Amino acid sequence: MLTEHQLTYFKTFGFVTLRGLFSVDEIKTFNEEFQLKLKSTLRFTGPQDEDAKYCSWSNLTSKTPVLSKLPQDPRILSIAEQILGEDCNLASCNAGSYVNDTRWHPDCRNFHHDSIKFPIYLQDLDANNGALRLIPGSHKQPFHEAVTKFDPPGYDNDATRKGYLIKDVPTHACKVEVGDVLVFDTHIWHASWGGKIDRRMLSPIYIKNPKTPEAEDAIRENVKGAHTVRE
């Protein structure tokens, strides 16, 4: 579980980095399953996609037996329960092979919906090669809405809006080494800059068990939005 200091850091800034949570051998096994799934997924792309092959899939399958158990790993689950409550629920456990820059965005805009994400990168990353950039404190109102009104460069895939570049927005670049795990509130604004192809990330996501009609409606809205994107 998070220490009191780490928990305060998370609540204040919207994220925290956990160093060396997984061993090199564990990451090697994660990578092996990732590679097999990526290879099978790339069968459905063509030569025209060579420079833009962003791929994503669920790890909750028999084809990824180790990764499918990742959400139950006590090193992750205990933190999810600490932040969201012991009755929190797993929303997803996906993997992604990212390419190029990632626009500014929050994963969730509805503040009746509480969820956290655990990005686990399978290679070292820093500010120059695609490390996740976060705007600290933007997981809270009214700052979150202020950033929305600012419409940060890169939102809606416009990397030069208002004369800025993604990297010019004041942020914290989360430098990670193999085995590190990030934890962030899904309301926080984030992006990446300078990454090329095949940045490998695993991302268990947990949601707080809804206690109010507004929270239930927020989850329905989120599910509906996810189906719209897939369609």
Side-chain angles (χ1 to χ4, degrees), residues 17 41 57 60 70 72 98 126 144 152 160 166 190 192 214:
T17 304
T41 302
W57 58 84
L60 301 178
L70 192 58
Q72 284 76 48
Y98 289 80
D126 58 30
H144 178 93
T160 57
I166 291 174
H190 54 285
S192 66
E214 292 82 3

Side-chain angles (χ1 to χ4, degrees), residues 9 24 34 36 45 56 63 65 70 98 119 147 151 174 184 186 207 215-217 228 231:
Y9 188 101
V24 173
F34 186 105
L36 289 174
T45 63
S56 179
K63 294 181 179 179
L70 192 58
Y98 289 80
V147 176
D151 197 9
C174 298
F184 71 76
T186 58
I207 60 175
E216 291 178 357
D217 289 342
T228 300
E231 291 171 358

Side-chain angles (χ1 to χ4, degrees), residues 55-215:
C55 297
S56 179
W57 58 84
S58 173
N59 288 312
L60 301 178
T61 168
S62 60
K63 294 181 179 179
T64 50
V66 174
L67 294 179
S68 67
K69 295 181 176 63
L70 192 58
Q72 284 76 48
D73 190 300
R75 289 168 289 184
I76 292 179
L77 181 59
S78 63
I79 295 172
E81 292 178 340
Q82 181 183 16
I83 295 173
L84 298 174
E86 293 184 357
D87 58 348
C88 67
N89 298 292
L90 178 70
S92 62
C93 181
N94 291 350
S97 174
Y98 289 80
V99 297
N100 303 323
D101 301 329
T102 304
R103 64 176 177 81
W104 283 109
H105 66 285
D107 287 345
C108 180
R109 291 178 175 272
N110 191 321
F111 276 77
H112 291 293
H113 175 82
D114 293 320
S115 56
I116 56 175
K117 189 172 186 176
F118 290 79
I120 305 167
Y121 290 93
L122 302 184
Q123 68 265 81
D124 298 348
L125 293 174
D126 58 30
N128 298 313
N129 67 348
L132 190 69
R133 294 168 183 260
L134 300 160
I135 301 180
S138 62
H139 65 302
K140 292 183 177 181
Q141 297 288 26
F143 188 33
H144 178 93
E145 185 61 24
V147 176
T148 300
K149 290 180 178 179
F150 169 65
D151 197 9
Y155 189 62
D156 290 335
N157 297 315
D158 182 353
T160 57
R161 181 173 295 177
K162 299 177 183 175
Y164 291 94
L165 298 174
I166 291 174
K167 66 182 180 66
D168 293 329
V169 177
T171 63
H172 174 81
C174 298
K175 181 179 179 180
V176 292
E177 297 179 355
V178 167
D180 294 345
V181 177
L182 301 178
V183 187
F184 71 76
D185 185 311
T186 58
H187 296 104
I188 199 168
W189 283 82
H190 54 285
S192 66
W193 174 268
K196 300 304 179 183
I197 63 172
D198 198 19
R199 295 194 311 282
R200 300 184 172 196
M201 185 186 79
L202 312 173
S203 56
I205 300 176
Y206 300 83
I207 60 175
K208 186 174 183 178
N209 192 29
K211 307 292 185 176
T212 66
E214 292 82 3

